[in-house]
Amino acid sequence: MTEQNVRVRFAPSPTGNLHIGGVRTAIFNWLFAKANNGKFILRIEDTDQNRYDESSEESIISSLRWLDIDWDEGPIRQSERKDLYGEIAKKLVDTGWAYYDDTTSEELKELRDQQIREKKPPRYDNRGRYKELTHEYYEKNKKNKPIVIRFKVPDGGIKPFNDEVRGNVEFNLKEIDDFVILKSDGMPTYHLAHVVDDHEMKISHVIRGEEWISSTPRHVLIHDALGWNYPKYVHVSLILGKDKSKLSKRHGAESALDYKEKGYLPEAILNFLALLGWSPGDNSEIMSKNEIINKFSIDRILSHPAVFDPEKLEWMNGSYIRNLDDKELSNKILSEVNKSKEDGGLLSDEVSIKMIKDKIVQLTPLVRERLKKISDSSQLLEYFFYDKLDIKKESLIPKKIEPNQIIEGLSSSVDLIESFKNFEPIALEEEFRKLAEKLGLKAGQLFFPIRISLTGRKESPPLFDTMCAIGKENSIKRLYSAISIIKS
């Protein structure tokens, strides 16, 4: 069912890279807007100027663009709206919902230390309420004293609000002390700024992480004090690691751009994260962006924690890679390998980008099935361009086979390759199977050491496609090298 006048926002703080939890929040907001012909607004919550990082803001915007998450309005920066928040805070003072507080940091520390000694929970004791400081006092002393504005929380009672995922949620106001809404530098706290912005921007749904549930009573109190209607609150579940502990870097909780660098496709990241805490209502896993949008609704957002499974993400990414057409995949591979070997690419004095371009159309179908990430490209393609392989003698000799049998098999293989005029996979396989039979070997007993000789690896694309891609001359050279290793 389509919601009316949907306006949602993604409001990151530019204090670090955009982590996976933040990306998931952005995706949910964007999908909901798209599913309901609504508006998606990008708001940069940069009121904490001490922690503001310009490169972080650039990273956030780059991450969203990489994921093809477009916004209808923004980016809107809270730091440019400072006067508006100040006016609202003073209005709350005038209506008795807030007050000035000049308690110093030393006094607050002394209060906390005393509460700890008395084994009481550390919290502000609302002492500023009774000073009744005026606007005039604030204007006169704000440059010399750390004066803040605090919201006056009612002394008791229950503050309920409705969460679209969890239903009715209630908090005891006795558990909430008077909280700061305007800091001593004149900047608002998150509690005030986002409420003002959500109201001014006519935000219909606040979709954010579950960690904000405990702060929501403060937000609805501010709405009440200003006589504003609440948006609909949608708190999405936590993301846990596979061991069910809080997601961290060891589980794969990296920034969006880290995944880009590691060779993940943006479509795969979006698909994977959309399924963390949301169900399409069936067993669908690989879905196009439009399919996800068409199925997305708030009533399918799950209340229980989602589990981040790196192996599943890798599998999903591989599926998306295999669905690319050869030209698009070739271009992505070329872009990945177009750097020096020292930097994880394929370029060196021996191998130029022209050499790679000349063979990439032939090689792309061979590595397509083995690519889990685009960043695997150099490792999977290396032996097609470099003859020097790190091959151990024991790896060339299968169990229950004598070295002399392998030498004979490889020598005969050289002779067979030299006899070929039409060097193509089907004909090669047919003749090599005949050779194995002639030598009294099973096909695998001959093919295995040939594969090691040509690639240095136990696994590779189909052997005779690989042989053709390496080329007749280089295949012979590598087989001779393998014979020398066995004889050494």
Side-chain angles (χ1 to χ4, degrees):
M1 187 177 79
T2 302
E3 299 269 358
Q4 297 299 311
N5 301 320
V6 165
R7 288 176 61 82
V8 294
R9 47 55 165 195
F10 176 55
S13 297
T15 55
N17 287 332
L18 185 56
H19 59 83
I20 283 301
V23 176
R24 196 266 306 260
T25 298
I27 288 170
F28 277 24
N29 276 282
W30 182 82
L31 289 171
F32 185 61
K34 292 293 182 186
N36 293 280
N37 295 314
K39 300 294 184 184
F40 175 73
I41 298 157
L42 176 60
R43 192 168 75 211
I44 304 296
E45 300 202 335
D46 59 347
T47 56
D48 190 345
Q49 290 292 294
N50 292 326
R51 297 177 62 211
Y52 173 76
D53 180 356
E54 185 177 351
S55 64
S56 171
E57 182 175 327
E58 292 170 358
S59 171
I60 289 166
I61 291 172
S62 296
S63 299
L64 296 178
R65 284 183 172 148
W66 175 60
L67 291 163
D68 200 24
I69 295 177
D70 54 337
W71 48 91
D72 301 291
E73 298 173 23
I76 297 165
R77 294 173 180 83
Q78 287 184 329
S79 59
E80 298 169 0
R81 298 159 60 83
K82 179 179 176 181
D83 292 345
L84 172 62
Y85 310 125
E87 290 171 11
I88 299 292
K90 289 175 183 176
K91 179 181 177 182
L92 289 169
V93 172
D94 287 336
T95 56
W97 278 103
Y99 58 88
Y100 293 106
D101 177 27
D102 62 359
T103 306
T104 65
S105 57
E106 292 78 15
E107 289 172 323
L108 290 172
K109 182 180 184 303
E110 183 181 332
L111 171 64
R112 282 194 299 272
D113 291 345
Q114 179 184 340
Q115 289 170 333
I116 290 170
R117 285 194 301 273
E118 296 174 358
K119 297 183 178 179
K120 295 178 180 178
R123 54 180 291 164
Y124 181 64
D125 61 1
N126 302 345
R127 63 180 65 182
R129 286 188 183 193
Y130 314 107
K131 296 182 181 179
E132 298 183 350
L133 304 180
T134 63
H135 293 314
E136 291 73 26
Y137 176 86
Y138 174 71
E139 294 299 331
K140 183 178 179 181
N141 295 284
K142 64 182 179 181
K143 291 183 179 178
N144 303 315
K145 287 187 174 184
I147 305 174
V148 301
I149 295 180
R150 288 182 181 270
F151 188 88
K152 189 185 295 183
V153 178
D155 291 327
I158 300 298
K159 174 48 63 177
F161 68 89
N162 184 66
D163 182 280
E164 298 295 310
V165 177
R166 292 162 181 78
N168 189 59
V169 181
E170 295 183 345
F171 281 85
N172 189 334
L173 292 180
K174 285 186 177 180
E175 303 299 320
I176 303 174
D177 51 6
D178 291 354
F179 55 94
V180 176
I181 56 173
L182 199 75
K183 295 178 282 189
S184 58
D185 63 358
M187 281 291 188
T189 62
Y190 169 79
H191 300 308
L192 177 66
H194 93 274
V195 168
V196 172
D197 287 340
D198 288 347
H199 176 76
E200 292 283 323
M201 298 172 191
K202 297 180 171 59
I203 298 301
S204 61
H205 296 72
V206 171
I207 304 175
R208 59 187 178 187
E210 182 181 302
E211 64 272 17
W212 290 107
I213 289 178
S214 61
S215 295
T216 305
R218 295 173 174 83
H219 307 156
V220 295
L221 283 171
I222 294 173
H223 279 91
D224 290 344
L226 292 166
W228 294 343
N229 294 327
Y230 310 152
K232 291 184 177 180
Y233 289 105
V234 184
H235 291 99
V236 298
S237 64
L238 297 173
I239 303 176
L240 304 179
K242 283 186 74 175
D243 60 1
K244 303 300 172 68
S245 64
K246 185 178 178 182
L247 191 65
S248 65
K249 283 192 174 181
R250 66 188 175 88
H251 298 113
E254 299 169 87
S255 74
L257 295 183
D258 284 335
Y259 283 99
K260 179 183 179 183
E261 288 297 312
K262 287 189 172 187
Y264 287 87
L265 300 182
E267 300 87 351
I269 294 290
L270 189 144
N271 188 162
F272 177 77
L273 291 180
L275 291 170
L276 287 186
W278 170 77
S279 168
D282 52 32
N283 294 322
S284 300
E285 289 193 303
I286 305 294
M287 293 177 283
S288 70
K289 196 179 293 184
N290 284 336
E291 285 177 311
I292 298 172
I293 289 169
N294 289 334
K295 292 181 178 182
F296 194 86
S297 63
I298 283 175
D299 59 6
R300 294 193 187 279
I301 292 177
L302 308 174
S303 61
H304 57 76
V307 175
F308 186 97
D309 184 346
E311 289 80 17
K312 184 169 184 179
L313 172 57
E314 198 171 77
W315 165 81
M316 186 173 283
N317 196 64
S319 297
Y320 271 90
I321 287 174
R322 288 187 288 279
N323 285 331
L324 296 174
D325 62 49
D326 282 346
K327 184 178 180 181
E328 188 175 2
L329 181 53
S330 294
N331 288 337
K332 289 184 182 294
I333 291 172
L334 275 173
S335 179
E336 173 63 28
V337 303
N338 189 19
K339 50 193 175 187
S340 70
K341 285 197 76 176
E342 290 75 16
D343 292 330
L346 286 178
L347 304 186
S348 69
D349 293 338
E350 297 174 59
V351 177
S352 67
I353 191 62
K354 182 182 183 305
M355 292 168 62
I356 299 171
K357 282 181 177 178
D358 288 344
K359 294 190 75 170
I360 198 67
V361 173
Q362 180 186 12
L363 296 177
T364 295
L366 299 187
V367 297
R368 171 189 293 280
E369 295 299 318
R370 308 190 76 79
L371 279 171
K372 294 180 180 177
K373 306 185 293 292
I374 298 297
S375 55
D376 297 337
S377 301
S378 295
Q379 191 266 343
L380 290 175
L381 292 172
E382 184 177 19
Y383 57 78
F384 289 106
F385 298 96
Y386 290 91
D387 290 326
K388 190 174 180 181
L389 306 173
D390 183 20
I391 299 175
K392 301 292 188 290
K393 180 176 180 177
E394 56 271 19
S395 69
L396 286 161
I397 305 170
K399 292 178 181 179
K400 300 179 182 179
I401 303 289
E402 293 298 319
N404 286 338
Q405 288 178 280
I406 300 304
I407 291 172
E408 182 185 6
L410 296 181
S411 298
S412 299
S413 297
V414 169
D415 295 338
L416 182 55
I417 290 173
E418 286 179 330
S419 72
F420 264 88
K421 292 180 181 177
N422 181 22
F423 203 64
E424 59 91 23
I426 295 174
L428 281 168
E429 181 171 359
E430 184 178 339
E431 293 303 316
F432 268 89
R433 287 189 180 277
K434 290 178 183 177
L435 175 61
E437 189 176 344
K438 179 181 174 183
L439 295 170
L441 297 172
K442 295 177 181 177
Q445 290 174 321
L446 177 62
F447 293 177
F448 178 81
I450 293 175
R451 187 185 303 278
I452 297 292
S453 303
L454 296 181
T455 69
R457 302 173 191 179
K458 293 180 180 179
E459 296 179 352
S460 73
L463 176 58
F464 299 103
D465 292 274
T466 300
M467 187 181 288
C468 289
I470 290 171
K472 187 172 181 177
E473 184 180 328
N474 282 341
S475 294
I476 291 171
K477 189 191 302 183
R478 294 182 190 188
L479 288 171
Y480 274 134
S481 176
I483 292 169
S484 297
I485 291 170
I486 296 172
K487 288 181 175 179
S488 64

